Amino acid sequence: MLRAAANEYELVAPGTLGGVLDLLADDPEGWTPLAGGTDVMVLLGAGKLPPGRFVSIWGLPELRGIAVDDDAVTIGALTTYAEVQADATCRAELPMLCQAARESGAAAIQNRGTLGGNIVNASPAADSPPPLLCHDAELLLVSRDGGERRVPYDGFHTGYKRMSMRPDELLRAIRIPRRPRPDPALHLFRKVGTRAAQAISKICFAALAEVREGKVAHVRLAMGSVAPTVVRCKAVEGEIAGRAIDDARIAAAVAALDDDIQPIDDVRSTRHYRERVARNLLEDFLVALAER
Amino acid sequence: MSGPVEIAFTVNGEAKTVRAVAMARLLDVLREDLGLTGTKEGCGEGECGACSVFVDGTLVNSCLIPALQAVGTSIETIEGLAKGDALHPVQEAFIAAGGAQCGICTPGMILAAVSYLRDGGDAKEASIREALAGNLCRCTGYMKIVESVARAAAAIAREERTS
């Protein structure tokens, strides 16, 4: 039984990017984009979706496909988790993103859930954002009146479910700078949830670091489900960048984690558990890094 | 309030047109407008996989697809799987291995298994379990379900060797 009346919702499909952008530009407060439906339709099914107007963007060709050039992998916002996992460049160069895609939902969800949706749904528990933050991803936002602009993904989420994006803008693609090939960095992604499939993360951890001549030459660390937004852990990064990893450095990095995360008690886990697991995951990563 | 629109699509190989509210779930259109009640509703929130169907050859949860997004697509439901009286090897295997108990999860389980095998999946237990991870069985008949899919994988591999 659908716990809502479907006729309380308006849904249109202009079928072209121009048509969608016109709607958003002419009535910016009025329309919510709907892609694969794996967030919006879940709320509808649960009777928790406020009545409103939705514009289907599913299938828009300008938002699909993965383009690779010398500098970047540019992933269309409508690229599904299944498409991310199937792409040869993503598999070779973005293993954390592929793992996040593989552990989000299960097959049927991965065939509809999109990378763009995972970003603009703005859940702090989303699993693809931590890998994207580690790769210094940028977002390509498009609007009728402003054309296209490119913004760093780091800092895009400004608060719980809040983003620095205008209501007339649509996320067109995610641009991920390519790392050296072969990539000397250690990449580690860990999702901790009730089970690997379907369950939403209690905590999600992604880290990428490179050691040169015994010192950490480049480091990025990001987590989900530990703050009102997904977060880059810059205090921890600051403790290890340019340094050699030894026991004292690991202790200092773990202590710095408190400045980066503010987990809470909620339906999926507790603050205490999340703090403990976040520290353990960080320690595991640094120990693995020290052994390289 | 939003009135019905025309939804024209192909269902199990036949062209169909129904009038439905754009935001109506594909699940309800299949069950109520087309009488295809083989597709089940479990959770209605994309967790359980009971409403699995193929849209343009891709396994999806029909509870998460608004009718408007089905326009122009080709849908395959559990009713379209057998060819006349000839059951699909996965259906045969579920019967042979006792893969169905109460039956509510069975259509979704079978279509998820068909999707896995169409993509070249084999009889490895871990791979089968990952492929069926989005389908919940509240009778907890997972052992026999996994066994059914492994049997089907072996049967399909045998068929490919002999053909």
Side-chain angles (χ1 to χ4, degrees), chain A residues 1 7 102 111-112 198, chain B residues 2 41 47 59 69 130 133:
Chain A
M1 244 316 262
N7 63 5
R102 185 176 173 183
N111 285 334
R112 293 286 294 192
Q198 302 293 52
Chain B
S2 134
E41 174 163 19
E47 292 280 350
L59 186 76
Q69 289 186 342
E130 182 172 352

Side-chain angles (χ1 to χ4, degrees), chain A residues 22-247:
Chain A
D22 277 345
L23 272 188
L24 297 181
D26 291 336
D27 188 3
E29 304 301 326
W31 297 92
T32 303
L34 172 62
T38 56
D39 286 305
V40 169
M41 296 300 286
V42 170
L43 291 177
L44 176 80
K48 292 176 185 162
L49 185 69
R53 295 191 292 173
F54 295 83
V55 52
S56 176
I57 59 171
W58 183 254
L60 290 183
E62 294 89 343
L63 274 64
R64 302 207 55 211
I66 298 174
V68 182
D69 63 23
D70 288 346
D71 302 325
V73 180
T74 303
I75 303 179
L78 291 177
T79 303
T80 63
Y81 298 114
E83 288 164 345
V84 167
Q85 292 172 73
D87 182 79
T89 307
C90 290
R91 292 167 77 101
E93 300 180 25
L94 304 169
M96 296 195 293
L97 187 63
C98 288
Q99 197 181 337
R102 185 176 173 183
E103 295 181 13
S104 295
I109 296 289
Q110 290 165 17
N111 285 334
R112 293 286 294 192
T114 65
L115 201 53
N118 208 215
I119 291 170
V120 296
N121 184 53
S123 165
D127 293 325
S128 64
L132 294 174
L133 287 172
C134 287
H135 280 278
D136 297 329
E138 298 171 302
L139 305 182
L140 304 178
L141 302 172
V142 64
S143 62
R144 184 188 69 189
D145 301 331
E148 187 161 288
R149 66 184 179 115
R150 191 160 117 187
V151 300
Y153 181 43
D154 186 18
F156 178 71
H157 297 292
T158 53
Y160 180 72
K161 292 261 177 185
R162 299 176 63 87
M163 297 166 274
S164 49
M165 182 181 182
R166 298 194 311 266
D168 68 329
E169 285 182 313
L170 197 62
L171 174 58
R172 186 183 71 75
I174 300 101
R175 182 182 186 277
I176 305 174
R178 293 180 80 182
R179 294 195 33 83
R181 301 180 290 283
D183 187 352
L186 172 66
H187 299 232
L188 183 74
F189 176 85
R190 290 283 301 276
K191 168 176 175 168
V192 179
T194 308
R195 59 189 288 243
Q198 302 293 52
I200 294 170
S201 292
K202 295 175 195 284
I203 181 165
C204 174
F205 176 97
L208 179 163
E210 217 178 305
V211 176
R212 265 181 248 147
E213 291 162 3
K215 289 182 177 156
V216 176
H218 175 80
V219 57
R220 290 286 184 274
L221 210 140
M223 291 197 207
S225 290
V226 292
T229 68
V230 286
V231 287
R232 259 275 299 281
C233 300
K234 291 181 183 174
V236 172
E237 290 176 6
E239 284 295 331
I240 52 182
R243 312 280 193 91
I245 301 295
D246 55 22
D247 288 350

